[in-house]
């Protein structure tokens, strides 16, 4: 798949919340270009809010979101998408009433400028079908007919059609059977290694996430409590016991 080049992502002293609740308290995280960074922690740790604040779905109360050194904190989701940030929220969010291809075409809407040539759009869809062959076989079917694993592939493929440089994945393995979960994790690795996309992966499945990540970050009650190479976090018995549940 064609990639416009990886981008580094840095979050500095980021604060965000909902009403009186502060969900992120001066969070600082760095994701090097072309790497996988796993963000881990219990429910309520602030993981989803972190992704929402990066992608513009939640407006930060302070701090910076640096994409290749340029601060984009507080930009709209549309601006962040045009800058090369794609966000796949939790929950396999396909539009069930649309076909697989109609869902994919929604990913083209973030392309900047006047509509690109039809050949470019056709090429982007062809790339998606090449990577996700199961979707090619079902392109005319309603998304409602897909399995949970197929829906997860569809939402990730829809994000990739926009050809992002940074991909934010929120719980991509949630609710999937172990075999399908392993396939999704393998796909995340391939996206990073083959396409050079910078990936920030939020996961409850800490063991699986650390197995594929380059670095890991652990959040607790909106604050960073650990950040290190993924293999070092996985080997830290005390950390696993107190924060990661394995």
């Amino acid at each position: 798949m064609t990639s416009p080049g990886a981008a580094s992502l840095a979050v500095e002293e980021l604060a965000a919340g909902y009403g009186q609740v502060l969900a992120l308290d001066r969070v600082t995280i760095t994701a090097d270009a072309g790497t996988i960074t796993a963000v881990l922690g219990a429910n309520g740790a602030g993981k989803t809010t972190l992704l929402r604040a990066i992608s513009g779905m939640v407006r930060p109360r302070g701090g910076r979101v640096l994409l290749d050194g340029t601060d984009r904190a507080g930009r709209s989701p549309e601006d962040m998408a045009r800058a090369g940030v794609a966000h796949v929220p939790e929950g396999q969010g396909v539009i069930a009433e649309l076909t697989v291809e109609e869902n994919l075409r929604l990913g083209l809407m973030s392309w900047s400028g006047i509509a690109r040539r039809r050949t470019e759009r056709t090429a982007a869809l062809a790339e998606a079908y090449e990577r996700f062959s199961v979707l090619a076989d079902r392109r005319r079917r309603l998304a409602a007919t897909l399995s949970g694993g197929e829906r997860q592939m569809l939402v990730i493929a829809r994000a990739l059609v926009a050809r992002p440089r940074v991909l934010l994945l929120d719980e991509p393995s949630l609710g999937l059977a172990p075999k399908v979960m392993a396939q999704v994790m393998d796909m995340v690795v391939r996206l990073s290694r083959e396409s050079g996309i910078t990936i920030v992966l939020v996961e409850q499945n800490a063991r699986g996430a650390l197995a594929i990540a380059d670095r890991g970050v652990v959040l607790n009650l909106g604050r960073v409590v650990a950040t290190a190479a993924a293999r070092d976090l996985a080997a830290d018995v005390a950390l696993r016991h107190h924060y990661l549940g394995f």
Side-chain angles (χ1 to χ4, degrees):
M1 179 175 289
T2 303
S3 174
S8 63
L9 175 69
V11 171
E12 297 180 349
E13 297 288 311
L14 195 65
Y18 310 92
Q20 300 300 313
V21 178
L22 187 64
L24 296 177
D25 187 3
R26 300 189 303 278
V27 167
T28 294
I29 292 173
T30 299
D32 292 335
T35 65
I36 301 173
T37 300
V39 180
L40 312 171
N43 287 332
K47 305 185 302 296
T48 291
T49 302
L50 174 63
L51 297 194
R52 289 175 175 172
I54 293 171
S55 69
M57 294 177 66
V58 169
R59 188 174 184 86
R61 298 178 181 179
R64 303 200 297 170
V65 177
L66 301 171
L67 187 66
D68 273 346
T70 299
D71 185 14
R72 298 182 183 274
R75 301 285 184 91
S76 70
E78 294 77 16
D79 284 345
M80 294 305 289
R82 284 191 288 267
V85 177
H87 183 184
V88 178
E90 175 189 333
Q92 301 167 10
V94 301
I95 300 178
E97 298 80 11
L98 298 182
T99 66
V100 166
E101 181 149 320
E102 287 168 341
N103 269 273
L104 285 177
R105 287 183 178 277
L106 293 176
L108 298 171
M109 295 176 65
S110 66
W111 283 14
S112 59
I114 300 173
R116 294 186 185 180
R117 295 193 307 270
R118 180 176 298 178
T119 53
E120 291 184 70
R121 293 174 176 268
T122 300
L125 292 175
E127 288 175 359
Y129 289 135
E130 182 179 359
R131 182 175 292 281
F132 302 94
S133 59
V134 66
L135 299 181
D137 296 337
R138 292 160 173 73
R139 68 180 71 190
R140 305 301 178 199
R141 295 188 186 180
L142 294 179
T145 66
L146 301 181
S147 68
E150 290 165 350
R151 290 186 182 206
Q152 190 63 69
M153 291 179 187
L154 178 55
V155 293
I156 294 174
R158 185 174 63 198
L160 294 176
V161 164
R163 292 176 174 167
R165 298 190 296 155
V166 174
L167 181 63
L168 311 176
L169 294 175
D170 195 353
E171 301 280 8
S173 71
L174 185 68
L176 301 181
K179 181 179 179 180
V180 179
M181 180 180 68
Q183 293 172 345
V184 170
M185 290 296 193
D186 181 62
M187 175 183 60
V188 172
V189 173
R190 293 200 314 271
L191 288 174
S192 173
R193 304 297 183 258
E194 297 173 8
S195 302
I197 299 173
T198 304
I199 296 175
V200 180
L201 170 67
V202 161
E203 262 294 341
Q204 284 282 9
N205 177 13
R207 188 191 302 272
L210 290 174
I212 68 169
D214 299 291
R215 291 191 63 79
V217 177
V218 182
L219 295 181
N220 185 53
L221 300 178
R223 294 187 175 184
V224 175
V225 295
T227 180
R231 62 180 178 275
D232 294 337
L233 291 183
D236 189 325
V237 176
L239 188 75
R240 282 161 34 195
H241 176 73
H242 289 295
Y243 297 113
L244 302 181
F246 76 93

